[in-house]
Amino acid sequence: SKAKLIMTSVLEEELRDRIDEKSVEDWADFGDEFESLTKEISDKIKQKCKAELNIPRYKIIVQVTIGQMKNQGVSVGSRCLWDTATDNYASARFQNQYIWASAVVFGIYTD
């Protein structure tokens, strides 16, 4: 979907060359920076979706999660109450040798 393409490109642009071994080694000290980075990525995805998807009666909600690659499993889940006839979502992910990132965009129709 077009939303997935937007998320994939933003995740690639923002994370591909930004996170290195040093920042991951200092993960605990980098916590606030990762928090602001997830907000920045979420905002950028939301802005691009609003601009490019042309869905004015929809509320766009974006959730971004970033984690460290440490040979462990993770499950990211979410729930919401919606109308299956009009509401939808798309998801994308990014991964390199240091981190993984998951992005989900929800489109909720509003009257």
Side-chain angles (χ1 to χ4, degrees):
S1 73
K2 202 167 184 181
K4 184 172 184 165
L5 293 174
I6 291 169
M7 287 184 290
T8 301
S9 71
V10 171
L11 288 172
E12 282 284 331
E13 289 169 13
E14 294 296 321
L15 297 174
R16 182 180 48 241
D17 299 323
R18 193 168 187 172
I19 308 300
D20 59 11
E21 189 172 5
K22 173 74 174 128
S23 61
V24 173
E25 285 175 5
D26 299 333
W27 186 268
D29 300 329
F30 203 63
D32 291 339
E33 237 176 284
F34 274 113
E35 181 180 343
S36 63
L37 179 60
T38 57
K39 290 177 184 176
E40 182 182 313
I41 292 170
S42 295
D43 289 342
K44 190 173 275 192
I45 290 171
K46 186 175 183 177
Q47 289 170 355
K48 282 192 168 196
C49 283
K50 283 185 173 187
E52 296 179 25
L53 297 180
N54 192 26
I55 48 175
R57 299 192 84 161
Y58 279 80
K59 178 172 182 70
I60 303 295
I61 300 164
V62 180
Q63 176 184 348
V64 174
T65 308
I66 298 176
Q68 188 177 14
M69 295 294 285
K70 283 285 198 178
N71 294 326
Q72 59 199 21
V74 66
S75 180
V76 177
S78 58
R79 295 186 335 173
C80 83
L81 198 55
W82 69 16
D83 183 348
T84 56
T86 57
D87 303 337
N88 211 338
Y89 76 97
S91 62
R93 65 185 191 95
F94 170 86
Q95 180 178 324
N96 65 20
Q97 66 190 52
Y98 307 114
I99 64 162
W100 58 267
S102 169
V104 183
V105 170
F106 298 93
I108 311 297
Y109 185 77
T110 59
D111 277 338

